[in-house]
Amino acid sequence: MDIISAISYISNIVNFIYGFLIYRILSHFAKRRTGRFWQVLVYISCTVCSGMVIFPNDFFNITLDLIWLIFLMLIAFQGSIWQRLAAVAVLYPLIISQNFFVMNMMGTLGSWFGWPLAMDIFCTIADPCLHLIIWYAIYRFFIKHLAQTRQLFDDKIWILLTAICLASLVSITTCIYFTPRKTYKMWPAAFACFTTNLGCVALAEYFIISVRQNMERKNLMLQKSYYEELEQNQTAIRKIRHDMNNHLTVIQSLLCSGNHDEAEQYMKGIATQLQVHSRVFCKNSIINAVLNSKYNLAAEHQIDCFFHIEMDKLIGIDAISLCCLFSNTLDNAIEASLKIPDIQERHISVKARITDNSYFTYEITNTKRNRITEQDGRLRSDKEDIAAHGLGLSNVREMVEKYNGTLDISYTEASFTVTVLIRNA
């Protein structure tokens, strides 16, 4: 075996390595179907696509690469279709731009020096090594920016990412279709496409983390308010206990003098002061703060509430998603109850628990009098500004879909029920 053949053999091995890196990157975008067949199919496809030689004015290879990558994501991976298309929109321009850039740069260097044996050996070694370095850098980038945020991305973020990266996809393919004679003029375009797609992923991560941090700040404010109420209640109870002997003396005096009505009123006054505004519905302090806030709001409007919460077991749903579920459904239930003129008919029931077979179940039922209208399978708000309202259930639906759960909405003329079932990770 001559030196060129040995180097080519090593290059093929290196090609399988960065094929594996692409395989891992795709697995961070979406969940691969289980089974050895799908694993082998995806790995071989990634190896072939990553090693696809892209020539100037090469219509066949880049079109074939695109079609196969789309087909692969649709049949071999699960999840939202926008999530899988986003993987194509982000990765395909990276694959062909760096393939074109590295191959064309090696070809240009060889042409400048007239392709002596030393240059031929250098290009044969440098080509796979440069590919490997680039793909390892891309792999580390995606591990850092995508691994922890994939679960936070919803269809809106995936659509936005696809739309932005589509511009670089069209640009790089068009440039290669109509490559100028001086091919090195394409290098800035390939580099711009490369940085744009990586920047889009980092920007999407920054956006979603900023939204999450904002929601966490709101949750901390809820917790702070909850603990302040607890402290105020404890202080009030300590004061009443301190004066309890005096209260008992006054009540005894009123009873002995025959002023039973006044004694009764006095005791009612003490009972009112002893009422606790903050209740412990569950051990999760954030959810407890949300439930207390909504319970007190409902009590102010004389809405009868029944909360039965059993969430003491470890739950695989993050606190922000749970807050979205509880707060949005309770807000809707309170708004619907306020439209009932008869206070005696205002009722809200909330049940949440972790079942023995590791499922999180949530059910909220409220009485109502307003009409329910549907359009395109979605419920419409009966408020005047429809564009600004009716988003509560949409947010709940997105939260449930993120955890691959089920959402059921049912209603009658007098009641409205939302039921959620999510497997507890």
Side-chain angles (χ1 to χ4, degrees), residues 187-203:
W187 295 359
F191 181 76
C193 167
F194 202 82
T195 55
T196 297
N197 280 28
L198 294 180
C200 286
V201 174
L203 185 62

Side-chain angles (χ1 to χ4, degrees), residues 107-140:
T108 302
L109 286 174
S111 298
W112 285 349
F113 290 95
W115 287 110
L117 179 61
M119 177 56 63
D120 194 9
I121 294 173
F122 171 78
C123 290
T124 305
I125 296 174
D127 185 278
C129 291
L130 193 55
H131 277 299
L132 185 59
I133 292 171
I134 292 173
W135 277 116
Y136 181 74
I138 295 173
Y139 172 73
R140 297 301 304 173

Side-chain angles (χ1 to χ4, degrees), residues 104-262:
N104 192 257
M105 183 175 64
M106 294 297 108
T108 302
L109 286 174
S111 298
W112 285 349
F113 290 95
W115 287 110
L117 179 61
M119 177 56 63
D120 194 9
I121 294 173
F122 171 78
C123 290
T124 305
I125 296 174
D127 185 278
C129 291
L130 193 55
H131 277 299
L132 185 59
I133 292 171
I134 292 173
W135 277 116
Y136 181 74
I138 295 173
Y139 172 73
R140 297 301 304 173
F141 176 87
F142 277 106
I143 289 294
K144 178 181 178 181
H145 293 282
L146 195 64
Q148 296 182 355
T149 57
R150 185 183 68 181
Q151 291 295 329
L152 301 176
F153 286 11
D154 55 21
D155 276 352
K156 294 177 182 177
I157 300 298
W158 291 121
I159 292 172
L160 180 63
L161 193 60
T162 303
I164 295 175
C165 293
L166 193 62
S168 60
L169 188 153
V170 173
S171 298
I172 191 65
T173 52
T174 303
C175 287
I176 294 176
Y177 285 160
F178 305 102
T179 306
R181 187 169 61 178
K182 296 180 179 180
T183 55
Y184 63 85
K185 292 182 178 180
M186 277 281 298
W187 295 359
F191 181 76
C193 167
F194 202 82
T195 55
T196 297
N197 280 28
L198 294 180
C200 286
V201 174
L203 185 62
E205 180 209 27
Y206 174 79
F207 172 75
I208 200 70
I209 288 178
S210 298
V211 172
R212 184 183 179 88
Q213 289 175 342
N214 184 48
M215 296 179 72
E216 287 176 345
R217 282 194 293 270
K218 291 180 180 178
N219 288 338
L220 288 174
M221 292 301 294
L222 277 171
Q223 285 182 290
K224 180 175 179 292
S225 175
Y226 168 63
Y227 288 124
E228 286 176 350
E229 282 191 14
L230 280 180
E231 181 60 30
Q232 291 172 4
N233 289 331
Q234 292 296 325
T235 302
I237 289 172
R238 284 195 294 268
K239 288 180 180 178
I240 292 172
R241 284 177 178 172
H242 181 268
D243 297 333
M244 189 57 69
N245 287 333
N246 295 329
H247 292 312
L248 292 174
T249 300
V250 172
I251 293 172
Q252 184 180 18
S253 175
L254 290 172
L255 291 173
C256 290
S257 61
N259 296 323
H260 297 284
D261 291 339
E262 291 184 25

Side-chain angles (χ1 to χ4, degrees), residues 239-353:
K239 288 180 180 178
I240 292 172
R241 284 177 178 172
H242 181 268
D243 297 333
M244 189 57 69
N245 287 333
N246 295 329
H247 292 312
L248 292 174
T249 300
V250 172
I251 293 172
Q252 184 180 18
S253 175
L254 290 172
L255 291 173
C256 290
S257 61
N259 296 323
H260 297 284
D261 291 339
E262 291 184 25
E264 185 180 352
Q265 290 299 320
Y266 193 87
M267 286 189 290
K268 285 182 178 179
I270 296 175
T272 301
Q273 294 181 44
L274 284 170
Q275 285 182 352
V276 178
H277 295 287
S278 292
R279 297 161 177 82
V280 180
F281 295 106
C282 67
K283 293 183 180 180
N284 187 313
S285 59
I286 297 178
I287 302 305
N288 210 48
V290 173
L291 293 175
N292 268 284
S293 173
K294 303 306 178 184
Y295 188 94
N296 293 335
L297 178 61
E300 289 176 10
H301 294 93
Q302 298 177 290
I303 301 173
D304 176 54
C305 289
F306 170 76
F307 288 179
H308 183 71
I309 313 296
E310 294 181 357
M311 293 174 53
D312 298 339
K313 298 179 183 178
L314 179 66
I315 186 167
I317 305 173
D318 65 272
I320 291 177
S321 296
L322 286 174
C323 283
C324 168
L325 173 63
F326 280 89
S327 59
N328 279 300
T329 54
L330 277 166
D331 282 340
N332 289 344
I334 292 171
E335 288 180 10
S337 298
L338 290 176
K339 295 173 183 176
I340 302 176
D342 188 353
I343 296 174
Q344 300 298 322
E345 295 182 6
R346 297 177 178 178
H347 303 288
I348 296 176
S349 170
V350 178
K351 300 175 184 177
R353 62 188 290 258

